[in-house]
Every structure is written in structure tokens, then in C-alpha cells.
Amino acid sequence: MASTESTRVAVVAGGGSGIGRGCALRLARTGYRAILLGRTREKFERTAAEIRTAGGEAEIFVADVRDWDRLAELGASLAATGIDLLVNSAGGQKPRPSAELSREEWQAVVDTNLSGSFFLFRNLHDALARRRGSVVTIVANMWQMPAPELAHSAAARAGVVNLTRTLAKEWAREGIRCNAVAPGLTDSGALSPRFAAMVDKVPLGRIGTVDDVVDAVKFFAGASYVNVEVLSVDGGIRFAT
């Protein structure tokens, strides 16, 4: 993973689809070299090809965020030159009533969303510190409200918010800022009909777009005096009755 001190570098976990893909494309258009991180190379080839066709730089690093050793390899390859931005958009869940959740289903979601976030942050710490870089975590806004049938995901996301805030304070002296963006209903290509039907509860009266969320990510990336913040991008639905 060669880079130069003059090139801005962004690692985007989950950059093959949805919000992560939107972040990677926008960042590349504004001069970042994008390193797309995810489990399946084929899923990221389209994003990388689009970036390169537009004249940008993109690389793919195949890794599962639950794989500490693999993430350590990435961290070691970037530590000498550093990175300017880490966008953590990896995650996922499948709705299930809490009384029916199995141990395996619970563990899979917690491992991916919470443990995977820590593994990613921890192994890229030195690269972030090298350039006094920024972390922006994408965390669904269910972290701050009851989420029936998504107890595993809501609990994990609440943990990710606290983790982000804690590292923001621990790492601030090294110049590393850590913030989070909390999207609500977003047309990311994976919004289920069940959630799309909740549009009437959104005060702004529409489903959010990927660009709405990317705007917030870009704000955090460039706002050099903003730290330990969570910005909801949900049209106000968290206040809906």
C-alpha cells in the first residue's frame, strides 16, 4: 500500500456498496486515494473501476473487520506514511424478535459491528496518528432509541458510539479526531420495504439519500476542531411520536 505524504489517503471499510460506496466515490473525486476494505474483492471492483475511470486512485484490501491479524497487516503497511481519514461503514444485521435470537445470531452482529469497529480503529491507530487523521463511523440511528427486532444491532451500535467517543478523548492529544454519523431511513440500496414504509414518520417527509449521509462524512473530515460528536442524519425521525 504505497503512498506519499502529499497524497490524502482514506480507508473506507464497507466501500463496495451503499453509504460506504458513496463515501469512496465522493472522497476520490475530491482528491483522496481511496483504499476500499471488505470481505469480497468482486464487490469492490465496480467502485474501484468507477474511481479510476474518473481519474482517481483506488485500491482494494480484502479483509473481514473481525480478522485482527489481517487488519494488522493493513495497519503495518500504512503506518510509515499514514492515512488522513478512516470511514467505518462496515456492519450489518438481520431483524429477529429478541425472544427468538440465537446465541450465534447475537454474537455475529456484535462481532461485526462492535468488535470489528474496535479491531479496525486499533490496528489503524498508528497510521492515523502519523497524519493526525480523522475517524468517521457510520452508525445507524437505532443506537439512541428502542429498536424492536433489532436488539442485537441496537446494542452493538450503542457500544460503537461509546467506543468512538472514548477513543476521541483518548487519542485527541495525538491529533486524531473521532466522530460518528447516524443515518436514519436511507435509500442505500438495501432499505427493506418494512422500513421504507415508515417515511410518513419522517418530519421532512422523505427517505434520506446516500449523498445526504456523505455530506455529513465530508463535514467531519474537514472540520478540524470538531471531535467527540454524533451527527444524526435522519430527517428528524428520532423525535417523531
Side-chain angles (χ1 to χ4, degrees):
M1 293 282 171
S3 66
T4 67
E5 293 288 350
S6 61
T7 303
R8 289 185 297 172
V9 180
V11 173
V12 183
S17 61
I19 292 170
R21 170 179 161 79
C23 289
L25 293 174
R26 179 87 68 84
L27 291 167
R29 286 201 302 270
T30 55
Y32 284 85
R33 181 168 66 86
I35 300 173
L36 312 175
L37 186 152
R39 290 182 293 177
T40 308
R41 174 174 290 275
E42 291 72 19
K43 187 176 181 180
F44 293 84
E45 289 289 1
R46 184 168 66 95
T47 305
E50 189 169 340
I51 288 171
R52 292 166 185 151
T53 298
E57 298 181 66
E59 299 178 33
I60 297 171
F61 187 85
V62 179
D64 188 320
V65 293
R66 297 170 294 184
D67 187 338
W68 177 281
D69 292 337
R70 183 66 174 148
L71 294 179
E73 291 178 28
L74 177 62
S77 72
L78 295 170
T81 51
I83 62 174
D84 301 278
L85 178 64
L86 168 59
V87 178
N88 177 22
S89 187
Q93 66 280 316
K94 181 181 291 187
R96 179 82 71 182
S98 299
E100 300 175 12
L101 267 176
S102 69
R103 174 181 177 178
E104 291 75 20
E105 289 169 326
W106 173 273
Q107 197 66 58
V109 169
V110 172
D111 283 350
T112 299
N113 291 281
L114 181 53
S115 297
S117 293
F118 177 70
F119 292 180
L120 188 62
F121 300 158
R122 171 63 183 85
N123 282 293
L124 290 179
H125 166 269
D126 291 354
L128 286 161
R130 171 81 186 205
R131 296 197 184 189
R132 302 174 70 84
S134 174
V135 175
V136 182
T137 299
I138 311 298
V139 53
N141 73 341
M142 69 182 75
W143 74 272
Q144 58 188 327
M145 62 185 72
E149 299 188 14
L150 288 167
H152 48 348
S153 186
R157 307 293 178 135
V160 171
V161 169
N162 191 283
L163 172 64
T164 301
R165 287 171 165 167
T166 298
L167 296 184
K169 293 199 71 174
E170 281 193 30
W171 295 353
R173 292 295 182 183
E174 298 171 272
I176 301 173
R177 296 181 298 109
C178 301
N179 296 289
V181 174
L185 301 175
T186 305
D187 185 11
S188 63
L191 186 66
S192 71
R194 168 193 171 190
F195 290 113
M198 296 172 63
V199 63
D200 290 343
K201 295 185 178 182
V202 181
L204 284 181
R206 69 173 177 87
I207 299 293
T209 68
V210 168
D211 278 342
D212 290 329
V213 182
V214 177
D215 286 343
V217 172
K218 280 288 292 176
F219 164 73
F220 277 136
S224 62
Y225 202 56
V226 178
N227 195 30
V228 207
E229 291 295 336
V230 181
L231 177 59
S232 294
V233 183
D234 63 1
I237 195 172
R238 66 196 180 284
F239 297 117
T241 57

